[in-house]
Amino acid sequence: MRRSRLRSLLIAMLALAFCVAAVWFAWQTGSWLERLFAVSMAIFLGLVAGVSTLIALDRTPVLEIDEEGLTDRGSPVRAGRVPWQSVRRVEAKSVGNRRYLVVQVYRPQRFLADLDPERRRAAEELIQQHGTPLVIPWEALDQSLDTVVEQAEALRQSAAT
């Protein structure tokens, strides 16, 4: 599963359009305070457009699923390779209007060992909320969450037998 290119490109195009508008405004205004504000907005929006473009061009998978396990690059833990023997179940969860892929693992605390303090705090919060540190936000990914859950559960169950 990869990030959606469409969403990132849309953000980049909007940011670029507003950046051009901010440059035009800075050029037209007579007040130095308005010009300073417009130039700072143009710089910020230019950076947003650049970062969004880089994200759209990045084709690194956020999640890879195969017969042996899954590779996580989308959760705050970024656990890497997780074999199916460590996975209890894979499920979809909704919190408000946001959807998540939740990978329940047998020993969630072992994923905290090598994390930096900021990622460790995020993982501990996820363990308290969901019982696992492997929670991947799904809104910007390119496949259906329900389909991925079905495929992952089928692979997990076939690996267990």
Side-chain angles (χ1 to χ4, degrees), residues 70 75 82-93 100-111 126-136 149 152-153 156:
L70 58 90
S75 71
V82 180
W84 289 124
Q85 293 79 16
S86 300
V87 177
R88 187 178 321 151
R89 75 177 173 272
V90 179
E91 60 189 7
K93 274 194 177 178
Y100 299 92
L101 176 74
V102 178
V103 180
Q104 297 286 345
V105 293
Y106 285 109
R107 295 184 318 155
Q109 296 296 329
R110 75 181 170 113
F111 291 95
L126 288 171
I127 290 172
Q128 289 175 355
Q129 292 174 353
H130 302 283
T132 183
L134 303 180
V135 179
I136 301 172
V149 169
E153 271 298 298
R156 185 190 66 79

Side-chain angles (χ1 to χ4, degrees), residues 48 56 95 100 139 150:
V48 169
V95 177
Y100 299 92
E139 67 251 1
E150 288 174 16

